[in-house]
Amino acid sequence: MHSAQAIATGQRFWRLPVDASAHGPALDTHLLLNLWIALALLALAHLILLAGLAFRRRASRPVHTLLLEYLPLAALTLLFAFLAARAQQLWAAQRYTGASLTAMQVEVTGMQFAWYFRYPGADAAFGETKPTLVAPGEGNPLGLDPADRHGADDLVTSQLVLPAGREVDLALHAQDVIHGFSVPEMRLKQNAVPGQTAHIHFTPTQPGSYAILCTQLCGLGHYRMQATMLVLPPAAFDTWLQAHEAAAGKRGQP
Amino acid sequence: MSPILTPPEIDRRHRAHESDNGSGRRPPTDKLTGGNGEGGDNWNDRPQGRRGPRERLSQVRMGLFFGLFAVLMFFIAIVSAFFVTRASGHFDAYSHYVNEWLPTTIPSILWLNTAVLLLSSASAEMARRSMFREVDVMDEWIGLSRRTSQRAAAWLSVTLGLGGLFLVGQWIAWDQLAAQHVFFRSNPSSHFFFLITIAHAIHLFIGVSALIAALIGLRRSHKLASRQILVDATVWYWHAMGLLWIFLFVLLEYGQ
Amino acid sequence: MTAQHSRWTHHRTVGFGYVAISLAAACVGTVLSLLMRLHLTWPAWSLPLHGLILPEEYLALVTMHGTLMLFFVLTVAPQSGFGNLILPAQIGARRMAFPRLNAASMGLTGLALLVLLAAFFVPGGSPISGWTAYPPLSATALAGPGQGEGMDVWLAAIALFSLASTLGAINTLTTIVKLRGEGMSWQRLPLTVWGWFTAALLSVLVFSVLLAALAMLFCDRHLQSGFFLPTGDLVNGVLLQHHGDGSPLLWLHLFWFFGHPEVYIAILPGMGLTSMVLANFAHRRVFAYRLMIATTLLIGFLGILVWGHHMFVAGLNPFAGSAFALSSMAIALPSSAKVLSWLATIWRSRPRLTTPMLFALGFVSLFITGGLTGPILAQPILDEYLHNTFFVVAHFHLIMAMAGIFGLFCATYYWFPLLFGRLLSEPLGKLHFAGTLIGAYGTFLPMHLTGLAGEPRQYAQLTGGGSGPAGQLLQTTLPLQHGITYAAFFLACAQLPFLLNLVLTLRSHLLATPNPWSATTMEWASQDFDEASTEDKPTGLVTYRGPCHYSEDGVSFLPQWESGATSTLPPE
């Protein structure tokens, strides 16, 4: 009934969201492979279960432990080992090494209940932040230290704007409690833990606007701790960055 | 025959005299539990519930063993957190790596406390052994004396005194640290020093309560087997706390 | 030794006490989950006598539902409840090893439940940080409503519960090791006993670790320490004034070292019971019996090595993630071995499809369905997409919650004649089974889809984020949400035939025959020696063989307590 409604309104909950990152297609392929295998095993097991019940003539008990227990187990071992090895390759490719040196640096800070994004500006260095200087009301939600010259040209936004086709290195921070930085359409998830920095790197491929969600329970506003990731074509991104950095530079000058 | 002997339980179904309160002052009337090398003498061949006087003792010991295992896991959790915290730091606003761990100076009285606890373990063991001394057990069972319980009570009192002394010594150590302005909250290292010593002290306090319970039990309980179980379990617990303390003390003294 | 024990310390009394505690917790927990579903589907719906459900109240519902169900239902009922009711008789013993300790831990569990429920009534309400209570959210009252007194009450309740569970597990272990009756060797123990044994071992191992973590969290909250708090933590505009430089990840490690074995504590007794019930009604031995014992122990052992798979994206070193992925995948193998044995046991056996058998078959089905998503979530790269989505919710509800509940229903229908001398009505039981199975799948299967669509857990509202891409993403799941809520209410209503069945059966005078299921395990012999008696004397029973000795044609059987003569099964 409801699926019919959904088809009528064009919503497609049975499909994965759009895949807009470079590592995403491989992940999707592996996920779908896993789901199909699970579905096949599910059907097979239930078929055996129901068939075993349906026979009306009792068979003498199966005796070959080797055949019925160890052979399927060996097959399952191979299957799971194969899946684990493939997953391991993907995981290693994404996580074992850091971003390339040419990757764009963006710092992400989670706090109850908002995400802030900081670009290092022309000097390619982030200014210092101090928790004592945090003042969201005065436009300094991250506690940028005005005494640090690196911070003068830092650009702080509430929307993550990225160029398509360039690797991004995100440095995740949390100001208060643990937050979960998740972009389903980028197949990306990493917790931001207070007191430590987590790096995660990826390459957005398709321009568009995507959902950023908090996926670690962080308090009463957890459900509305959302932001937007805007992926622009490289040229449009450069224009956007220059315009905003100019504005930030003006603000930064005494 | 084993040097440690426990008298057989008297089967009350055959209790001939209502005046027999089970204190062991009368000889056993149940032939089944006799020794003498007769047929069926091996208690291990008997059905459960009739495997002789040490059955209940071994059950209590087993239960205590599992309990001590849980206590050990409690301290393993804290000690692993100790190592993790000792090794971790953070980058400050100026990108300097900071490790706030400042080793807590261990008051030298802890050495004395450790010695006291070791002594108390020795006296506890004397109490435990005296509960199982063959000759005295036979005497007490026949009703000639209550020497096992009297000796054990004396040794347990010594243990109780030494245990109390240890707790007072720990209190002095905390006091000395407080005089140097080292409190629980001061530093990651002091968190752990106080957490570990206080958690151990709480466990030892349970041991002290068990000692008191055992002393009362020695006076009140009519069954020799019950008294043996009480003393035995208390003393094993006490030994375990002593052993645990040595491990924790070495950790705090040399592991910080 | 013959001695009278008090009726209050009799294991049956204690067992019924535990069951009553979990029944109360299950009723409250179910109502909380229905409120959650109502709010998620119709955010504007207001609860009579209360009003709108606020976001913090939704999270309080989440926290209390999880805590009640996992601790007080899935841990208490199978392990402590049925463990006490059945375990002594099943090993040929008269009593549990330490009756007074047993009664004390039951009292402590009841007290823990009362303390936990008190959290609803303290200022600020119950805590909102979920049953996992990650700091710093759980470490300071500044982090939100309910994180003050409510969180303290929660900590106290769980500390009491840990203590009670440890004491109960000590009792169970000692009973199994020391009190087995004559002839009851380790290999002759029914698989249920192996389940209880392994779960009790795990309890002794992990509950004290949880207790240590709770103590440290308490210090962070009230004594200005920083075990789990980093320096410079700014919560709600206030810089936390604590000393030390800890890490929230330390809590995650300690908590999940407890938390993962905890879910095996919940399910292992059910797995053992399923094996025995399937064999009972299929009139066969359990297929590969010794392998089943080995896999039970192996699942318990591997269960303590896999906690890191809850932390793949939590800031764990990626190399550690790989290691935990391997150990987690490894658990799929003993679990598969169990499923294969269940399938082989019933294969072409022409079993009697009684209600307990149906629930055992339902357990197998749910275990397969919920279990197959396990290896998917054990792969870090896939967990990166699925972590904390409804896919995970679907996974653990099917394999732990629903399979666990099916195990409990199976136990209830199976042992009801033993405990009350009456058989529960079969037609009502089958109605109950069909409704529960349809409700369980109807509720939790669609959650896989909403999870794959990206719906995160613990969101008080799916429509609260505005019309940005995030709002659009969440809204794709809305049509399914309605269906899930209807199915959840159907599932709850499907329990009414069960309650009716209980009432009708307890009021009827139709007594069951002794051993109505033609069972072979020792508890069914206990009707000969009056299990309910508090007199502590030997049972006089001897175990002559392992369980489930049925003849090849399934016509006659040889119970564990019979010395030689086979009994013939009654005609169907």
Side-chain angles (χ1 to χ4, degrees):
Chain A
M1 170 183 62
H2 285 282
S3 37
Q5 199 179 28
I7 291 165
T9 54
Q11 286 164 328
R12 294 180 297 175
F13 53 77
W14 62 88
R15 282 220 180 148
L16 295 174
V18 182
D19 188 339
S21 67
H23 72 272
L27 193 156
D28 279 6
T29 311
H30 189 58
L31 178 60
L32 289 174
L33 174 70
N34 264 281
L35 288 170
W36 281 115
I37 288 176
L39 208 60
L41 287 176
L42 177 72
L44 182 67
H46 277 83
L47 226 89
I48 296 173
L49 181 75
L50 293 175
L53 292 176
F55 275 109
R56 293 317 297 163
R57 262 190 56 208
R58 187 181 166 94
S60 62
R61 62 170 291 108
V63 277
H64 297 291
T65 323
L66 186 75
L67 209 64
L68 285 172
E69 191 84 41
Y70 292 108
L71 275 184
L73 265 187
L76 284 173
T77 310
L78 287 177
L79 178 68
F80 289 137
F82 161 71
L83 290 177
R86 258 183 72 113
Q88 178 58 29
Q89 282 174 353
L90 296 174
W91 178 250
Q94 195 200 13
R95 299 276 180 146
Y96 277 14
T97 52
S100 75
L101 291 174
T102 56
M104 197 175 98
Q105 304 286 321
V106 183
E107 188 200 78
V108 181
T109 305
M111 63 190 70
Q112 287 179 331
F113 301 98
W115 294 105
Y116 285 99
F117 310 97
R118 184 155 70 125
Y119 299 79
D123 62 354
F126 291 110
E128 305 305 344
T129 58
K130 287 182 176 169
T132 45
L133 295 173
V134 169
E138 292 156 34
N140 192 4
L142 302 183
L144 274 169
D145 187 354
D148 185 3
R149 61 187 171 79
H150 291 306
D153 60 347
D154 283 7
L155 169 62
V156 179
T157 63
S158 58
Q159 194 181 36
L160 180 58
V161 183
L162 296 174
R166 182 175 169 196
E167 192 177 23
V168 188
D169 181 15
L170 296 181
L172 300 172
H173 292 279
Q175 204 174 63
D176 36 34
V177 303
I178 304 178
H179 297 282
F181 179 82
S182 156
V183 193
E185 281 122 335
M186 295 288 156
R187 308 292 187 263
L188 206 63
K189 192 173 286 158
Q190 176 66 41
N191 279 10
V193 182
Q196 64 188 63
T197 307
H199 280 272
I200 187 164
H201 57 95
F202 70 107
T203 311
T205 50
Q206 291 176 33
S209 60
Y210 306 108
I212 297 175
L213 304 170
C214 178
T215 49
Q216 184 60 58
L217 180 56
C218 61
L220 67 94
H222 173 54
Y223 72 100
R224 56 181 155 85
M225 187 167 166
Q226 301 163 354
T228 302
M229 174 190 278
L230 189 62
V231 178
L232 297 173
F237 175 75
D238 288 341
T239 328
W240 175 87
L241 191 65
Q242 277 159 16
H244 281 77
E245 280 184 347
K250 249 177 246 158
R251 190 207 64 216
Q253 273 150 18
Chain B
M1 186 186 265
S2 150
I4 296 177
L5 186 92
T6 314
E9 287 294 339
I10 297 162
D11 195 321
R12 288 206 179 166
R13 276 182 311 170
H14 301 286
R15 205 163 70 191
H17 309 281
E18 279 309 309
S19 58
D20 183 357
N21 55 9
S23 65
R25 285 169 202 275
R26 288 175 189 279
T29 50
D30 187 355
K31 294 278 194 300
L32 274 174
T33 51
N36 304 330
E38 288 168 4
D41 195 32
N42 188 349
W43 276 321
N44 290 331
D45 297 339
R46 297 271 180 76
Q48 179 267 323
R50 293 207 167 196
R51 286 178 196 144
R54 305 204 71 169
E55 190 177 6
R56 209 151 61 90
L57 180 70
S58 77
Q59 282 171 21
V60 172
R61 276 187 187 167
M62 168 98 5
L64 185 72
F65 161 77
F66 285 121
L68 288 172
F69 186 63
V71 172
L72 181 70
M73 284 309 293
F74 179 85
F75 280 96
I76 283 179
I78 292 178
V79 168
S80 46
F82 170 94
F83 283 116
V84 169
T85 309
R86 194 189 63 174
S88 60
H90 68 281
F91 289 94
D92 72 354
Y94 305 99
S95 300
H96 298 306
Y97 185 74
V98 187
N99 184 339
E100 292 188 11
W101 185 277
L102 291 171
T104 306
T105 330
I106 305 300
S108 46
I109 192 171
L110 285 195
W111 284 97
L112 198 64
N113 292 350
T114 308
V116 167
L117 199 60
L118 278 178
L119 268 181
S120 78
S121 237
S123 72
E125 182 63 16
M126 293 303 291
R128 199 184 73 81
R129 298 219 167 163
S130 66
M131 281 313 284
F132 293 97
R133 264 195 62 187
E134 193 178 330
V135 179
D136 296 340
V137 165
M138 288 310 280
D139 276 3
E140 185 154 345
W141 175 47
I142 295 164
L144 291 179
S145 76
R146 280 178 71 96
R147 209 178 301 145
T148 60
S149 304
Q150 282 159 3
R151 280 206 189 143
W155 283 116
L156 282 187
S157 306
V158 173
T159 313
L160 184 61
L162 289 170
L165 206 60
F166 175 84
L167 286 179
V168 171
Q170 296 290 84
W171 186 271
I172 293 172
W174 298 327
D175 224 37
Q176 284 177 354
L177 282 175
Q180 300 164 26
H181 293 281
V182 178
F183 303 103
F184 172 80
R185 61 172 181 271
S186 302
N187 182 274
S189 152
S190 73
H191 295 349
F192 279 102
F193 176 82
F194 281 94
L195 184 68
I196 287 173
T197 51
I198 291 174
H200 178 263
I202 291 172
H203 280 89
L204 206 78
F205 183 76
I206 296 173
V208 166
S209 313
L211 280 175
I212 294 170
L215 280 170
I216 294 172
L218 280 180
R219 283 188 158 276
R220 294 278 177 81
S221 175
H222 295 303
K223 281 194 209 153
L224 180 56
S226 298
R227 296 200 292 271
Q228 285 179 326
I229 287 170
L230 208 53
V231 173
D232 189 73
T234 306
V235 170
W236 281 121
Y237 180 82
W238 195 263
H239 287 334
M241 288 309 116
L243 203 64
L244 187 64
W245 171 251
I246 290 172
F247 166 65
L248 295 173
F249 178 61
V250 168
L251 177 82
L252 291 172
E253 184 74 40
Y254 302 107
Q256 282 197 60
Chain C
M1 173 176 59
T2 321
Q4 283 292 129
H5 280 278
S6 159
R7 185 152 288 282
W8 289 106
T9 57
H10 189 261
H11 55 271
R12 281 261 173 106
T13 316
V14 174
F16 282 126
Y18 274 123
V19 170
I21 288 170
S22 22
L23 200 61
C27 291
V28 179
T30 305
V31 170
L32 298 186
S33 69
L34 294 178
L35 289 178
M36 276 150 63
R37 284 312 315 173
L38 280 174
H39 179 71
L40 207 57
T41 319
W42 298 284
W45 177 77
S46 78
L47 176 64
L49 304 175
H50 175 85
L52 282 177
I53 293 175
L54 302 173
E56 61 268 34
E57 288 166 346
Y58 179 84
L59 293 178
L61 293 176
V62 171
T63 306
M64 296 297 269
H65 169 77
T67 312
L68 283 169
M69 290 304 201
L70 199 52
F71 286 106
F72 290 91
V73 180
L74 292 174
T75 309
V76 166
Q79 179 70 9
S80 312
F82 283 102
N84 271 299
L85 289 175
I86 306 299
L87 169 66
Q90 209 161 52
I91 60 172
R94 171 64 81 178
R95 59 184 177 89
M96 296 291 276
F98 309 115
R100 268 174 291 187
L101 187 76
N102 204 11
S105 48
M106 191 265 280
L108 271 180
T109 309
L111 181 66
L113 178 63
L114 289 181
V115 172
L116 181 71
L117 292 177
F120 281 120
F121 306 103
V122 298
S126 31
I128 60 170
S129 46
W131 82 284
T132 55
Y134 284 2
L137 184 58
S138 60
T140 164
L142 295 166
Q147 297 307 91
E149 280 101 327
M151 190 67 209
D152 285 329
V153 167
W154 188 89
L155 283 181
I158 302 307
L160 282 173
F161 187 87
S162 305
L163 202 62
S165 296
T166 309
L167 294 178
I170 289 169
N171 201 355
T172 305
L173 287 172
T174 312
T175 307
I176 296 173
V177 176
K178 286 287 180 189
L179 261 65
R180 280 170 292 124
E182 194 180 350
M184 184 55 88
S185 62
W186 285 95
Q187 289 203 3
R188 290 177 182 172
L189 283 178
L191 289 169
T192 27
V193 177
W194 280 105
W196 284 316
F197 181 73
T198 314
L201 271 180
L202 288 176
S203 299
V204 165
L205 198 73
V206 299
F207 267 106
S208 38
V209 173
L210 176 68
L211 196 60
L214 292 173
M216 288 155 82
L217 187 58
F218 180 84
C219 292
D220 277 7
R221 289 173 61 79
H222 296 291
L223 301 174
Q224 292 181 302
S225 60
F227 293 113
F228 305 126
L229 295 173
T231 41
D233 202 36
L234 185 80
V235 180
N236 215 347
V238 179
L239 199 58
L240 293 188
Q241 294 302 318
H242 62 88
H243 302 256
D245 177 26
S247 166
L249 283 186
L250 183 58
W251 167 270
L252 269 71
H253 279 291
L254 291 174
F255 182 84
W256 285 116
F257 181 83
F258 149 78
H260 201 81
E262 158 72 7
V263 306
Y264 289 110
I265 294 169
I267 202 66
L268 277 168
M271 289 158 86
L273 175 66
T274 298
S275 292
M276 301 311 293
V277 169
L278 290 180
N280 188 157
F281 292 105
H283 306 311
R284 278 198 183 144
R285 290 185 203 183
V286 174
F287 186 75
Y289 198 84
R290 289 170 68 164
L291 189 70
M292 289 299 263
I293 298 175
T295 50
T296 303
L297 292 167
L298 193 62
I299 288 175
F301 173 70
L302 288 173
I304 53 179
L305 300 178
V306 300
W307 77 91
H309 70 224
H310 297 267
M311 301 167 64
F312 286 143
V313 298
L316 198 68
N317 183 319
F319 297 102
S322 300
F324 281 119
L326 284 181
S327 60
S328 306
M329 290 296 261
I331 276 206
L333 297 173
S335 309
S336 307
K338 285 209 174 292
V339 172
L340 289 170
S341 157
W342 292 331
L343 293 179
T345 304
I346 50 173
W347 175 253
R348 294 192 68 178
S349 64
R350 214 155 64 86
R352 280 176 69 195
L353 292 176
T354 57
T355 311
M357 178 66 171
L358 288 175
F359 273 104
L361 290 169
F363 181 99
V364 175
S365 168
L366 290 162
F367 189 82
I368 295 169
T369 313
L372 280 169
T373 48
I376 298 180
L377 291 167
Q379 298 169 38
I381 190 74
L382 300 182
D383 188 60
E384 176 170 14
Y385 180 63
L386 297 169
H387 181 76
N388 268 2
T389 64
F390 262 75
F391 194 84
V392 178
V393 178
H395 164 70
F396 72 73
H397 272 97
L398 281 176
I399 194 158
M400 182 182 68
M402 285 304 112
I405 292 288
F406 269 60
L408 285 174
F409 282 134
C410 174
T412 309
Y413 282 96
Y414 186 63
W415 283 318
F416 201 83
L418 183 72
L419 298 172
F420 296 99
R422 293 168 179 81
L423 278 166
L424 283 164
S425 146
E426 280 289 312
L428 274 175
K430 281 173 179 153
L431 182 68
H432 177 214
F433 166 74
T436 310
L437 189 75
I438 293 168
Y441 273 128
T443 307
F444 297 109
L445 275 184
M447 286 187 185
H448 290 101
L449 293 175
T450 71
L452 284 169
E455 185 195 356
R457 293 169 70 180
Q458 298 159 335
Y459 266 33
Q461 235 174 286
L462 294 175
T463 51
S467 57
Q472 284 167 10
L473 182 85
L474 295 176
Q475 272 167 14
T476 55
T477 68
L478 281 180
L480 272 178
Q481 300 298 341
H482 287 268
I484 295 173
T485 303
Y486 294 136
F489 271 89
F490 179 79
L491 178 59
C493 293
Q495 308 314 308
L496 295 178
F498 175 61
L499 296 179
L500 184 69
N501 202 347
L502 284 184
V503 173
L504 289 181
T505 308
L506 285 174
R507 287 178 57 178
S508 84
H509 300 287
L510 211 65
L511 291 184
T513 51
N515 195 3
W517 309 123
S518 313
T520 53
T521 40
M522 293 297 286
E523 76 269 26
W524 296 99
S526 67
Q527 287 178 340
D528 302 340
F529 72 89
D530 186 17
E531 163 80 7
S533 159
T534 52
E535 203 181 346
D536 187 14
K537 62 181 182 189
T539 59
L541 290 172
V542 180
T543 310
Y544 293 97
R545 62 190 65 78
C548 312
H549 273 250
Y550 291 93
S551 66
E552 192 68 18
D553 52 4
V555 175
S556 60
F557 68 107
L558 203 52
Q560 284 187 286
W561 64 89
E562 294 284 357
S563 57
T566 55
S567 314
T568 311
L569 289 163
E572 280 171 51

